[in-house]
Amino acid sequence: MELKGYFRLLQKKLWLIVAIALIAGVGAGVKSIFFTQPIYEASSKLIVNQTSNVQGQAMMDFSMIQTNIKLINSYREIIKSSAIMDKVATTYPDLGLTSAQLMNSTSVSTASESQVMSITVQGTTYEKAAKTVNAISNVFQSQIPLIMKIDNVAILSEAKVDSNASPINMKTTLSIIVSLFAGLVLAIALVFLMDYLDDTFKSETELEKELGLPVLTVISKMKKDDLKNTKNYVSQQKVGDGKYVAANQ
């Protein structure tokens, strides 16, 4: 019975639930389309491939690979340091970015036990993001021999400037669906909260259950139109229109 009561409550407040869900969905769509600045992402890959030279032949061994992998942790910090970003800002003034802006928009990642590093840059246009990440890669490759006294970094792949990329933050459909679901959950919770805080009796059954006494009579709620009709009916009656019983003389 309580479950049926919950369903009746939701059915009664269905208009409120639908309204809140639609407002949330439409609001998310409007924000995503008109008030969200698109952010693009471009990446380049570097490989750390130090080799050892034995009898004039370049060789790779397991210990050297492990050394390269451990160096990557240091390289990740060096890439985002002022030593590299200041050089990028001065070498590529056409980017229009300061050293601090370059640091904030750049991230460096690597897979576990891998000699490959990925440099990722975010920007308001894909072309600018691609040019920026390529500039950082080139500057880092040229500066690492001066900083670490070892030339073991090579550019594996650069970002393609003319690539047709999509913004990473403009997922309008997903945003609308999530907002609709969140609005629906919020609306249902609000309906239950309003019902919990409402102490009024809404039916004779609730009153009987609370007092433990049977209901003898019910006073119906009258509308203003019903009251006007009653007044008009009374005013139209004239004296003598009613039926009377004549007494026998």
Side-chain angles (χ1 to χ4, degrees):
M1 294 300 296
E2 290 183 0
L3 187 60
K4 290 182 179 179
Y6 293 147
F7 279 115
R8 283 195 295 268
L9 176 63
L10 293 176
Q11 187 177 9
K12 184 179 179 181
K13 298 292 185 179
L14 183 61
W15 65 272
L16 179 62
I17 297 173
V18 173
I20 293 177
L22 287 177
I23 290 173
V26 172
V30 171
K31 179 183 180 300
S32 178
I33 295 173
F34 298 103
F35 297 99
T36 300
Q37 170 141 20
I39 300 296
Y40 295 86
E41 197 172 76
S43 299
S44 66
K45 293 183 181 297
L46 306 177
I47 185 169
V48 181
N49 60 346
Q50 182 181 2
T51 60
S52 59
N53 198 316
V54 178
Q55 295 181 354
Q57 296 180 353
M59 297 180 61
M60 290 289 292
D61 57 22
F62 181 76
S63 62
M64 192 66 68
I65 293 175
Q66 292 300 311
T67 302
N68 292 336
I69 293 174
K70 290 180 180 180
L71 280 173
I72 287 178
N73 292 327
S74 299
Y75 287 171
R76 291 171 62 181
E77 297 298 322
I78 294 174
I79 289 174
K80 298 192 66 174
S81 67
S82 58
I84 300 298
M85 295 305 179
D86 287 345
K87 188 70 174 178
V88 173
T90 55
T91 307
Y92 297 90
D94 57 303
L95 296 176
L97 297 173
T98 64
S99 176
Q101 290 174 328
L102 288 168
M103 292 180 189
N104 292 331
S105 62
T106 304
S107 61
V108 184
S109 62
T110 181
S112 179
E113 300 298 321
S114 173
Q115 295 177 255
V116 178
M117 293 187 300
S118 295
I119 304 177
T120 303
V121 172
Q122 294 182 351
T124 54
T125 64
Y126 178 78
E127 181 181 1
K128 187 173 184 178
K131 288 181 178 180
T132 302
V133 75
N134 291 338
I136 294 173
S137 299
N138 289 323
V139 169
F140 175 71
Q141 184 190 25
S142 63
Q143 292 297 308
I144 201 64
L146 302 177
I147 297 173
M148 298 292 290
K149 308 302 180 183
I150 184 173
D151 188 6
N152 64 340
V153 175
I155 298 177
L156 192 61
S157 63
E158 290 188 337
K160 296 181 180 179
V161 179
D162 58 349
S163 178
N164 187 15
S166 300
I168 61 173
N169 63 333
M170 296 291 288
K171 299 179 180 179
T172 305
T173 303
L174 179 61
S175 178
I176 292 175
I177 293 174
V178 172
S179 298
L180 281 172
F181 180 76
L184 184 65
V185 173
L186 178 62
I188 293 175
L190 180 62
V191 168
F192 284 128
L193 178 62
M194 292 170 59
D195 182 71
Y196 176 77
L197 297 176
D198 189 1
D199 295 331
T200 60
F201 296 104
K202 302 177 182 61
S203 65
E204 299 85 2
T205 305
E206 293 181 3
L207 187 60
E208 287 181 351
K209 184 178 179 180
E210 181 69 22
L211 300 178
L213 299 173
V215 177
L216 299 178
T217 184
V218 177
I219 301 175
S220 301
K221 185 177 181 181
M222 296 184 64
K223 299 180 180 179
K224 290 184 178 181
D225 294 337
D226 297 335
L227 189 60
K228 290 179 181 180
N229 293 334
T230 303
K231 289 181 178 179
N232 293 334
Y233 176 75
V234 173
S235 64
Q236 289 175 1
Q237 284 188 332
K238 297 180 180 179
V239 178
D241 287 348
K243 296 181 179 181
Y244 300 92
V245 177
N248 293 329
Q249 300 290 338

